[in-house]
Amino acid sequence: EAAAAADKPMVTDPTTGNVVSAPEYGGTLTYVNMLEPASIDPAIVLIASHAIGLVNEKLGIPNWALDRDVHDYRTIWLPESAIIGRLAESWEMPDATTYIFKIRKGVHWHNKAPMNGRELTASDIEYNQHRIWGLGSGFTEPAGNAPLYPYVKNPEGLLNIESVTATDKWTVVFKLKEPVLGTLKDITVQEPNFVLAPEVIEQYGDVTDWRNVVGTGPFELTDYVEGSSITYTKNPDYWGFDEKYPQNRLPYVDEIRALITKDEATVLSLMRTGKADFIGKAGQSQLTSVDAAMSLQRTNPELNLWPFSYFAQTAMTFDNQKAPWNDIRVRQAIQMAIDLETINDTYMQGWADTTPTGPVGRALKEYTTPFEEWPEEIKKTYRYDPAAAEALLDEAGYPRGADGIRFQTVYEHADAFNLDYYQIVMEYLRAIGIGVEVEVKDRTSHLALKRDPEIRQGMLTEVSNRDTPPIGSLSQVYSKSGWNPPNVNDPIYDAMYVAAAAATAVEEQMRLVAEADMYIIEKHWWIVGPRVPLFAVTQPWLIGYNGEAEFGSNDYVFLSRLWIDQELKEAMGH
């Protein structure tokens, strides 16, 4: 409104119909990064994209020009129909195990040694894939990060990519050992498929030193002060154009700065004072509590709040093969002891969705069974009923002692999650006689606990209702997956998972996933909580943003498609 009043040029965003001030070039976009990666080489460590996602590119990218009524990107679930070419101009699938990619001509590496602006070719794609999966070019073993990606493997966890070959300067052929649904999305947009500079890897062995990073993307990485900031400078020769406004070459801003902090109070201060333009899933700086979001809205009503959601960060799990957790009655009792409706009405101020779900996210409606269609016997084990919970614990052999305690346990909390919510949950468990001590763990320590049941003391923080590829969600309790935090070993479920993962038709996979999801729901292998939105926040002068969470597997290159209304920023005293 302020821009229109000042007679600034206006445009209609074709994806939303909103009228905004027209794109303009220049300025610095500053966002907050609360999750500094342990390495910036995506073949070595997960979430390296938080450092190189604006610099290096993948074969594909979500379509920024897609109508937000079709898909709004406010989750991390990405329909395959939303993917368009990036470094790959086009692709075809002549049979169920072959993908042929035509590489875009005219894409150049940054003008920085040792690449010196040379043109990207199919051989660069081949080299990167060989390095990730150990398929050639001197690489015989998968890279360190590769085992975390079950989507390129068959249900037994074996590598499903047979070969990746550059058949000419502009063509790359992927051959699979067997058909796997979703492979196209996995190859085009998932980590760790960023294309890194082969000459850099040959010269230095990896790209763990930021000074050696060279890409083809809209920005160059020009400064990195660990624990402080990351600075990206505009690539003046970038090949890409804005999908919404195809006449506009990207990027819009001259510089992007990521301010690194792990302190939420600092994040709020940066937004209140206008020193940051954006907080959100880019950098994992989104607000995770309703209280923080509402407080910011009260003190700074000019800020734009963007709720989004991609899983429920309110679940708990335990070692399902050890007492007391190996008794389903104990697991049911814990679920039934928690009054999610009251927690939502009070602490969460009505923002949460308390509808019980399984591991597969609500965005994947065709892959799940809605709560209203669950059998009544299962429904009642997800409703608040403390009296029934106490009866189940008595029946399971855990009566209250003289001190009122049935048994003692420890809840080991992941520090990136909302501790206040879990403290409330612990009070509900204490009310039915479970003695709980809370210990807060850092990310590294908590991940170690999830990998190794032997070092756990009791319950762990977990997520549920994931808007991620459904086979990945189901793999979390597959006994052979290598990542099984609930420590489940159920042959019936394993067979269901293998069948769902091996499905060759989408409709068949939808049915099999829904059946496996319901089996998990019935077994209560983890405790589910409400799905509470996270909040991205933008300054009013940051234009072009519509609440998007990410842009393909921890990729935040959409920041290159946003611009600063400089006049409005100055008028507001910044």
Side-chain angles (χ1 to χ4, degrees), residues 233-295:
T233 303
K234 178 177 182 175
N235 172 15
D237 302 315
Y238 184 55
W239 62 270
F241 289 79
D242 190 337
E243 296 85 355
K244 293 183 185 181
Y245 312 101
Q247 72 278 11
N248 293 348
R249 184 180 290 274
L250 295 171
Y252 288 113
V253 297
D254 292 333
E255 182 181 77
I256 291 180
R257 293 190 69 224
L259 302 179
I260 299 171
T261 180
K262 293 186 177 181
D263 180 54
E264 185 180 83
T266 300
V267 174
L268 294 172
S269 175
L270 288 168
M271 291 304 297
R272 285 188 170 112
T273 58
K275 293 178 180 178
D277 305 305
F278 173 89
I279 57 174
K281 193 170 184 296
Q284 291 290 315
S285 55
Q286 69 270 10
L287 300 180
T288 60
S289 77
V290 173
D291 273 351
M294 297 302 99
S295 171

Side-chain angles (χ1 to χ4, degrees), residues 209-393:
D209 188 333
W210 70 266
R211 299 167 186 83
N212 299 329
V213 173
V214 187
T216 58
F219 290 90
E220 297 182 40
L221 179 53
T222 51
D223 190 43
Y224 190 166
V225 181
E226 290 190 16
S228 179
S229 65
I230 309 174
T231 302
Y232 306 89
T233 303
K234 178 177 182 175
N235 172 15
D237 302 315
Y238 184 55
W239 62 270
F241 289 79
D242 190 337
E243 296 85 355
K244 293 183 185 181
Y245 312 101
Q247 72 278 11
N248 293 348
R249 184 180 290 274
L250 295 171
Y252 288 113
V253 297
D254 292 333
E255 182 181 77
I256 291 180
R257 293 190 69 224
L259 302 179
I260 299 171
T261 180
K262 293 186 177 181
D263 180 54
E264 185 180 83
T266 300
V267 174
L268 294 172
S269 175
L270 288 168
M271 291 304 297
R272 285 188 170 112
T273 58
K275 293 178 180 178
D277 305 305
F278 173 89
I279 57 174
K281 193 170 184 296
Q284 291 290 315
S285 55
Q286 69 270 10
L287 300 180
T288 60
S289 77
V290 173
D291 273 351
M294 297 302 99
S295 171
L296 194 59
Q297 189 173 63
R298 285 192 298 272
T299 60
N300 294 73
E302 77 280 5
L303 295 175
N304 298 311
L305 266 60
W306 307 91
F308 68 96
S309 176
Y310 53 94
F311 53 41
Q313 294 182 295
T314 52
M316 296 187 300
T317 193
F318 19 65
D319 186 343
N320 279 271
Q321 296 189 48
K322 290 181 181 177
W325 322 114
N326 58 356
D327 191 321
I328 190 173
R329 292 168 296 186
V330 173
R331 305 196 297 269
Q332 289 172 334
I334 292 175
Q335 185 70 66
M336 297 167 73
I338 306 169
D339 188 351
L340 299 180
E341 294 293 341
T342 295
I343 294 175
N344 180 34
D345 291 342
T346 55
Y347 176 66
M348 293 171 178
Q349 303 178 49
W351 280 89
D353 181 352
T354 59
T355 307
T357 59
V360 179
R362 68 183 184 194
L364 289 75
K365 295 178 181 179
E366 299 86 355
Y367 293 85
T368 63
T369 302
F371 179 72
E372 56 268 22
E373 296 178 17
W374 292 9
E376 184 57 36
E377 282 301 303
I378 297 177
K379 278 184 181 179
K380 71 180 185 181
T381 64
Y382 282 84
R383 295 186 179 121
Y384 177 57
D385 190 341
E390 297 226 38
L392 283 170
L393 291 172

Side-chain angles (χ1 to χ4, degrees), residues 16-33:
T16 63
N18 296 334
V19 177
V20 297
S21 61
E24 57 184 89
Y25 290 92
T28 297
L29 190 163
T30 301
Y31 75 99
V32 181
N33 189 336

Side-chain angles (χ1 to χ4, degrees), residues 150-221:
Y151 49 67
V152 292
K153 300 180 179 183
N154 67 18
E156 296 304 318
L158 302 175
L159 184 63
N160 190 43
I161 297 180
E162 183 174 279
S163 65
V164 181
T165 307
T167 56
D168 60 43
K169 190 174 182 180
W170 308 112
T171 307
V172 181
V173 179
F174 286 71
K175 292 290 293 184
L176 308 182
K177 296 173 184 176
E178 59 187 13
V180 174
L181 291 174
T183 296
L184 176 63
K185 181 168 67 174
D186 299 335
I187 292 172
T188 53
V189 299
Q190 294 283 20
E191 270 194 301
N193 291 308
F194 284 101
V195 179
L196 309 179
E199 285 92 322
V200 169
I201 297 167
E202 289 294 304
Q203 183 171 339
Y204 299 103
D206 55 40
V207 292
T208 56
D209 188 333
W210 70 266
R211 299 167 186 83
N212 299 329
V213 173
V214 187
T216 58
F219 290 90
E220 297 182 40
L221 179 53

